[in-house]
Amino acid sequence: MEKQNRSKVSVKGEFAKKVWGNMNKILTAALAFLIILALGGCKESRQITSEIQTAEGYTDAQIMLIAATEKNRYSEVYTDRIWQIPVDEEGTTFQEYLLREVRSFLEEVKLINLLADQEGILLTGQEQERLRELSEDYYDSLTEADRNYTNITLEEIYGLYTEYYRAGRMVDELTESVDLEISDSEAKVIVVQELRVTDSNEAQDIHTRVMADGVDFSVVARAVSEDREVEKQVGRGERSQEYEEAVFSLATGEISPIIRDGESFYIVKCIDDYDEEATLERKQKLALQRKNLAFHRIYDGFIAEHSVNLGGEIWERISFSEEEKSTTTGFFEWYEDYMGQ
């Protein structure tokens, strides 16, 4: 099965997208925490500690697999020249930054699994079978170079996928009662052409010009607006009340009166008074925000009393500058294809 690979802004961002951000898609139950302990075998593992229990962390091979996946994703887009580029004033390299994000991602997945353990989240036999099938197919997709570089085993892949799945299941369990009904009015997105100036007399002159027959609003806006961007999508709740009251009452093709908002004066032409695709996307985004807030009301209390720390020398041994042949990028894509519906 051939997979398409997608780049990410950061691992933590991907976690938010796939575990919190796709809560409506990923997950229907989970596996007992003891299975994770059993999967570690005799391999070296990073230990984690919480205030109430000690549990197995991730093996070096599991860490290497996620790190290699993210390294290869970035390399496909930006090439290997990016790894020693500083990303902040302290001189943190992009490699150091990405490894820090990988570590944060794994610690967060582990922490949610500890919460799932406390809540007694278990997998059904059918779910275990599906995760096993996923793990086997993903393992078979790895090249010999991928396996030699990471030293990953089938059981370790199964352990990672199980914890990833279980973390998402925990999110669903804690947010299943959240009302996700978002009205069209609340989520509505319109498309406008907008010009902004800071002089009231100038705004009056411009408004007279754009209201004249045959005048191209966009041409005037690009010539006089103090903002570079003229065409914009605007969603409910994103702008001031004064702005929204004027703009959301416009029909397609209509031009607003002068809108004063703080020290600025706006004149707006409505290009589309209902962007259906953008409204649907924003409706989904607002629903996920509600779910995320509900989850954090419980999760934040848990992490205030529990912590994980996936330390160890493995983080010092990983070097993206070394010549290596691993090309794997599909860990999350395989998961999405198998478990994301």
Side-chain angles (χ1 to χ4, degrees):
M1 187 185 302
E2 185 176 343
K3 306 293 168 190
Q4 290 186 344
N5 300 318
R6 299 181 281 274
S7 63
K8 303 187 299 183
V9 173
S10 72
V11 180
K12 197 166 186 179
E14 183 69 8
F15 177 74
K17 172 186 170 185
K18 289 188 176 293
V19 174
W20 296 343
N22 276 353
M23 291 176 292
N24 62 320
K25 292 176 62 180
I26 52 175
L27 318 161
T28 51
L31 179 59
F33 191 63
L34 290 178
I35 249 188
I36 308 306
L37 302 180
L39 292 178
C42 298
K43 293 202 173 188
E44 181 184 2
S45 176
R46 308 296 119 215
Q47 297 294 316
I48 65 171
T49 304
S50 75
E51 289 192 0
I52 60 172
Q53 67 188 114
T54 298
E56 285 294 314
Y58 295 105
T59 67
D60 286 358
Q62 289 171 323
I63 292 171
M64 288 288 289
L65 180 65
I66 300 300
T69 295
E70 299 316 306
K71 181 262 186 187
N72 292 332
R73 289 185 184 215
Y74 276 102
S75 293
E76 283 188 345
V77 178
Y78 301 108
T79 78
D80 284 334
R81 297 178 181 179
I82 67 171
W83 302 119
Q84 299 308 312
I85 295 176
V87 297
D88 57 28
E89 294 181 356
E90 286 71 39
T92 303
T93 66
F94 196 85
Q95 174 181 307
E96 292 169 335
Y97 167 78
L98 184 58
L99 287 177
R100 186 171 62 200
E101 291 297 291
V102 169
R103 178 172 173 175
S104 176
F105 162 70
L106 290 171
E107 288 175 345
E108 199 148 23
V109 171
K110 180 63 71 174
L111 189 56
I112 297 178
N113 269 266
L114 289 177
L115 177 58
D117 186 43
Q118 179 174 291
E119 297 296 317
I121 301 297
L122 303 174
L123 278 177
T124 67
Q126 184 177 4
E127 290 156 350
Q128 292 181 53
E129 182 178 348
R130 186 63 173 163
L131 285 164
R132 176 67 67 178
E133 181 183 354
L134 161 62
S135 301
E136 290 173 351
D137 283 352
Y138 173 66
Y139 181 76
D140 288 343
S141 77
L142 296 177
T143 66
E144 183 178 355
D146 291 328
R147 296 178 192 177
N148 290 338
Y149 178 70
T150 63
N151 291 316
I152 196 74
T153 67
L154 174 60
E155 290 301 304
E156 287 169 308
I157 290 172
Y158 179 62
L160 277 174
Y161 275 135
T162 297
E163 291 215 344
Y164 193 53
Y165 183 90
R166 194 169 181 240
R169 180 57 186 156
M170 187 71 258
V171 173
D172 272 356
E173 288 285 322
L174 294 179
T175 59
E176 61 183 356
S177 62
V178 178
D179 181 10
L180 299 180
E181 288 296 322
I182 308 292
S183 68
D184 280 351
S185 176
E186 183 180 357
K188 185 178 179 180
V189 176
I190 64 176
V191 181
V192 302
Q193 290 174 347
E194 172 191 284
L195 68 84
R196 180 183 71 87
V197 294
T198 51
D199 181 271
S200 61
N201 292 328
E202 183 183 9
Q204 292 287 350
D205 292 341
I206 295 171
H207 193 265
T208 301
R209 285 176 60 190
V210 298
M211 294 301 292
D213 289 341
V215 173
D216 189 324
F217 184 94
S218 65
V219 172
V220 176
R222 289 183 173 87
V224 303
S225 179
E226 296 178 22
D227 288 339
R228 178 176 299 179
E229 184 181 3
V230 170
E231 186 159 309
K232 301 179 179 181
Q233 286 184 336
V234 181
R236 283 285 191 186
E238 295 178 347
R239 304 291 289 269
S240 70
Q241 182 178 350
E242 294 79 10
Y243 183 97
E244 287 194 13
E245 285 179 355
V247 171
F248 277 86
S249 64
L250 299 174
T252 299
E254 290 184 335
I255 298 174
S256 75
I258 297 171
I259 307 164
R260 180 165 187 172
D261 186 359
E263 299 299 317
S264 296
F265 299 88
Y266 294 90
I267 304 171
V268 178
K269 180 176 182 179
C270 181
I271 303 303
D272 185 349
D273 59 16
Y274 182 72
D275 186 326
E276 184 175 1
E277 183 178 348
T279 297
L280 176 59
E281 182 178 340
R282 189 161 187 268
K283 187 178 290 190
Q284 295 169 341
K285 179 180 178 180
L286 290 173
L288 291 173
Q289 287 176 350
R290 285 187 185 180
K291 211 164 189 182
N292 196 25
L293 287 172
F295 173 72
H296 274 281
R297 279 196 289 269
I298 298 173
Y299 180 64
D300 289 351
F302 181 80
I303 63 176
E305 299 180 353
H306 303 77
S307 64
V308 299
N309 183 2
L310 296 177
E313 64 179 20
I314 179 62
W315 303 105
E316 302 299 326
R317 297 206 311 266
I318 298 175
S319 175
F320 293 162
S321 299
E322 293 178 357
E323 187 71 24
E324 48 84 10
K325 303 298 184 182
S326 173
T327 57
T328 182
T329 59
F331 181 85
F332 296 104
E333 283 69 26
W334 279 86
Y335 177 90
E336 188 74 11
D337 287 343
Y338 268 79
M339 314 302 293
Q341 301 300 320

